[in-house]
């Protein structure tokens, strides 16, 4: 149905299992990383220098481990809640919330529900606070399995409320988290993540990370060599499991490795 993503996206990671039908057929995702809230598992990183706080892109393949719970994909959230960005699932919807010092918070919620814990799907969140098009709604673009979400795909549409030219907390020299809400609370995630890219300084499209195969199924593609990651950009492919610490290795060439907790 139009309000539930499950029947549309239920075989999204076929190509990662070596079944791509014509879309980058030689590319296979080797590993994912499981985040388990009961084990309070998460990744953390505090950049040593600020990157582009106006423009960036997060891309990852996601498989939910259970329904209904809050699961944080990417966040930078202080204890005082004055300045934050958080991308997460709650009530099986995708939320993107932002706040900058001295401005009101934005609350952006998808209308569609993610209710198939057996499915892999691709999420891209691209932010560019300098954008003025589409009545300011182009400041945030969300893609699910290659599809750019439109006005009717949001239950709560605060895209235009992101302050023009604002410097968001992502890419600041504050703590960042994957799999945890942030410094504010001990809320974690129940998800698998694979092929996580973060590009500092560009608002990219889903087509920079994936493509449709001959069966019109969205598939990942080998995009590392075509991306310019920027100062704080990273690529987490979770390929090195020689130790717990190695799971946070950045493969972008930037050495922006994450601490495994």
């Amino acid at each position: 149905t139009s309000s539930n993503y499950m029947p549309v996206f239920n075989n999204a990671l076929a190509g990662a299992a070596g079944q791509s039908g014509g879309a980058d057929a030689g590319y296979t995702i080797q590993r994912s990383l499981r985040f388990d809230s009961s084990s309070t598992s998460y990744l953390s990183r505090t950049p040593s220098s600020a990157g582009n706080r106006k423009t960036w892109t997060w891309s990852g393949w996601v498989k939910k481990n259970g329904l209904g719970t809050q699961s944080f994909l990417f966040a930078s959230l202080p204890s005082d809640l004055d300045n934050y960005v958080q991308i997460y699932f709650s009530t099986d919807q995708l939320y993107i919330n932002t706040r900058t010092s001295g401005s009101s918070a934005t609350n952006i919620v998808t209308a569609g529900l993610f209710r198939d814990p057996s499915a892999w799907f691709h999420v891209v969140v691209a932010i560019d606070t300098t954008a003025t098009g589409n009545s300011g709604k182009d400041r945030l673009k969300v893609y699910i399995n290659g599809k750019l979400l439109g006005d009717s795909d949001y239950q709560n549409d605060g895209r235009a409320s992101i302050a023009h030219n604002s410097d968001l907390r992502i890419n600041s020299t504050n703590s960042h988290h994957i799999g945890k809400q942030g410094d504010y609370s001990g809320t974690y995630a129940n998800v698998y993540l694979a092929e996580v890219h973060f590009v500092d300084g560009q608002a990219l499209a889903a087509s920079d990370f994936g493509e449709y195969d001959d069966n019109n199924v969205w598939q990942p593609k080998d995009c590392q060599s075509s991306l310019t990651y920027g100062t704080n950009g990273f690529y987490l492919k979770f390929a090195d499991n020689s130790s717990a610490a190695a799971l946070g290795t950045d493969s972008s060439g930037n050495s922006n490795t994450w601490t495994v907790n």
Side-chain angles (χ1 to χ4, degrees):
T1 67
S2 60
S3 63
N4 194 317
Y5 290 134
M6 180 181 69
V8 181
F9 302 141
N10 63 351
N11 287 312
L13 206 61
Q19 301 174 23
S20 58
D24 205 353
Y27 186 63
T28 302
I29 294 177
Q30 297 293 337
R31 294 185 184 276
S32 64
L33 186 63
R34 180 185 176 187
F35 294 81
D36 175 31
S37 63
S38 64
S39 301
T40 63
S41 54
Y42 65 97
L43 306 179
S44 59
R45 180 175 179 268
T46 301
S48 59
S49 61
N52 190 324
R53 296 175 59 188
K54 302 178 190 295
T55 308
W56 48 265
T57 305
W58 186 94
S59 166
W61 287 82
V62 182
K63 181 175 182 286
K64 296 183 69 182
N65 184 23
L67 300 177
T69 59
Q70 283 192 329
S71 287
F72 286 82
L73 304 181
F74 189 45
S76 184
L77 187 79
S79 298
D80 62 14
L81 296 181
D82 185 54
N83 191 343
Y84 58 78
V85 175
Q86 46 185 355
I87 302 169
Y88 64 103
F89 290 105
S90 183
T91 60
D92 299 321
Q93 294 164 286
L94 183 65
Y95 284 65
I96 302 100
N97 296 336
T98 73
R99 183 184 178 94
T100 53
S101 299
S103 68
S104 60
T106 64
N107 187 29
I108 299 156
V109 187
T110 62
L113 304 175
F114 298 82
R115 283 181 168 168
D116 186 355
S118 70
W120 282 96
F121 54 94
H122 184 221
V123 178
V124 175
V125 176
I127 281 189
D128 181 4
T129 70
T130 69
T132 58
N134 194 23
S135 300
K137 294 180 180 180
D138 284 347
R139 291 170 200 158
L140 171 68
K141 293 182 178 180
V142 178
Y143 301 81
I144 304 296
N145 281 0
K147 177 194 172 185
L148 174 63
L149 300 193
D151 292 355
S152 63
D153 294 311
Y154 294 95
Q155 174 180 297
N156 192 17
D157 188 358
R159 291 173 293 164
S161 298
I162 298 175
H164 183 233
N165 274 326
S166 57
D167 288 320
L168 301 180
R169 186 177 172 92
I170 294 294
N171 273 330
S172 69
T173 55
N174 295 288
S175 59
H176 292 55
H177 296 84
I178 296 172
K180 182 176 184 251
Q181 186 175 15
D183 299 325
Y184 171 66
S185 75
T187 304
Y188 300 92
N190 287 302
V191 296
Y192 295 83
L193 291 179
E195 198 77 358
V196 174
H197 295 271
F198 179 75
V199 176
D200 175 357
Q202 298 177 76
L204 300 180
S207 57
D208 290 295
F209 307 96
E211 58 190 340
Y212 290 102
D213 68 12
D214 294 343
N215 298 314
N216 203 35
V217 176
W218 187 252
Q219 306 286 358
K221 67 181 182 181
D222 187 1
C223 59
Q224 179 184 8
S225 61
S226 64
L227 297 178
T228 302
Y229 286 91
T231 301
N232 287 316
F234 55 85
Y235 170 31
L236 302 179
K237 58 183 181 179
F238 312 121
D240 186 353
N241 65 346
S242 60
S243 67
L247 291 169
T249 299
D250 172 27
S251 297
S252 72
N254 280 353
S255 299
N256 290 329
T257 292
W258 286 66
T259 299
V260 176
N261 302 272

